[in-house]
Amino acid sequence: MGSNATDSARSLFRVIETGDPALAADVVHADFHNREASNSPAACAIPGPAGVLASSAWMRSAFTDLRFPVLDTGVDEERGQVFVRVRMQGRHTGPFVLFRDGKPDKIMPPTGREMDYEQIHVLTVRDGKVAGHEAVRDDLTMLGQLGVFPPTPAVAARLAAWKLTGRDRRAAAAVSTRAAEAAQSAQSAGTAH
């Protein structure tokens, strides 16, 4: 397993950064399952490369210059897992929409702020491809860097204005559509299975 599994794990983050369907087909197993998809658009839960490409579209719709520099990796040969410690970096230039039970839950208007914080991902690798994903993230640090938590009066007013004008619902619909289109393009190209 070793270096091939680590290379596949690193490449998964490259797919998220770029939305590259050919790379997704090379490194994402057809049975890929993302345990973290519960807070993202429905298309992100599709198995295989299609779900990963939907996740990429969702994240890149909110954060420009999205990147995941890898800080450290570890391999558990017995369990077929790779542990990856990364920094998530980027600028918040689009609405960041979080979902719950398939419906928009929190919609954060773009702040223009940079984020840079650590995450740990546990990836299951099978047949040389990434077949599973779960993560431990410090989302409170991210929200603090974006200036959304704790909300200042100005941020609270902006969130309320987005809700009152319906911009939040339109943003959630646009993000969901973008993720679904990314998944569909992967399925159409034959990269889903």
Side-chain angles (χ1 to χ4, degrees):
M1 189 169 136
S3 66
N4 286 342
T6 302
D7 291 344
S8 293
R10 287 175 180 268
S11 293
L12 179 72
F13 291 99
R14 216 40 217 134
V15 172
I16 298 295
E17 293 170 346
T18 65
D20 181 342
L23 183 57
D26 286 344
V27 301
V28 179
H29 198 282
D31 296 331
F32 176 86
H33 171 73
N34 181 7
R35 192 189 81 158
E36 309 306 321
S38 62
N39 69 343
S40 53
C44 299
I46 296 171
V52 174
L53 292 169
S55 294
S56 172
W58 168 58
M59 294 299 295
R60 289 181 302 114
S61 71
F63 303 105
T64 54
D65 301 322
L66 183 64
R67 55 206 176 278
F68 293 89
V70 175
L71 304 174
D72 199 9
T73 60
V75 176
D76 182 336
E77 300 266 351
E78 189 175 307
R79 291 189 174 142
Q81 293 180 320
V82 178
F83 302 88
V84 185
R85 186 167 60 99
V86 300
R87 295 199 73 80
M88 182 177 172
Q89 302 171 331
R91 181 177 295 277
H92 183 209
T93 57
F96 186 38
V97 183
L98 296 173
F99 293 76
R100 181 180 299 185
D101 300 324
K103 296 180 179 159
D105 183 42
K106 306 245 184 310
I107 297 132
M108 292 161 264
T111 62
R113 290 185 169 199
E114 293 278 337
M115 64 162 177
D116 180 358
Y117 73 107
E118 283 192 31
Q119 303 175 338
I120 296 174
H121 298 264
V122 180
L123 306 174
T124 302
V125 177
R126 191 169 63 235
D127 305 325
K129 294 186 174 192
V130 180
H133 169 259
E134 53 189 288
V136 177
R137 300 181 312 256
D138 183 3
D139 291 342
L140 284 179
T141 293
M142 176 190 69
L143 295 173
Q145 290 176 356
L146 298 180
V148 211
F149 185 82
T152 63
V155 167
R158 191 162 181 224
L159 291 169
W162 268 56
K163 192 167 194 72
L164 288 172
T165 62
R167 282 186 82 182
D168 63 342
R169 289 184 307 280
R170 290 189 301 277
V175 166
S176 293
T177 298
R178 186 171 176 184
E181 288 171 348
Q184 183 59 43
S185 70
Q187 291 172 327
S188 297
T191 58
H193 294 288

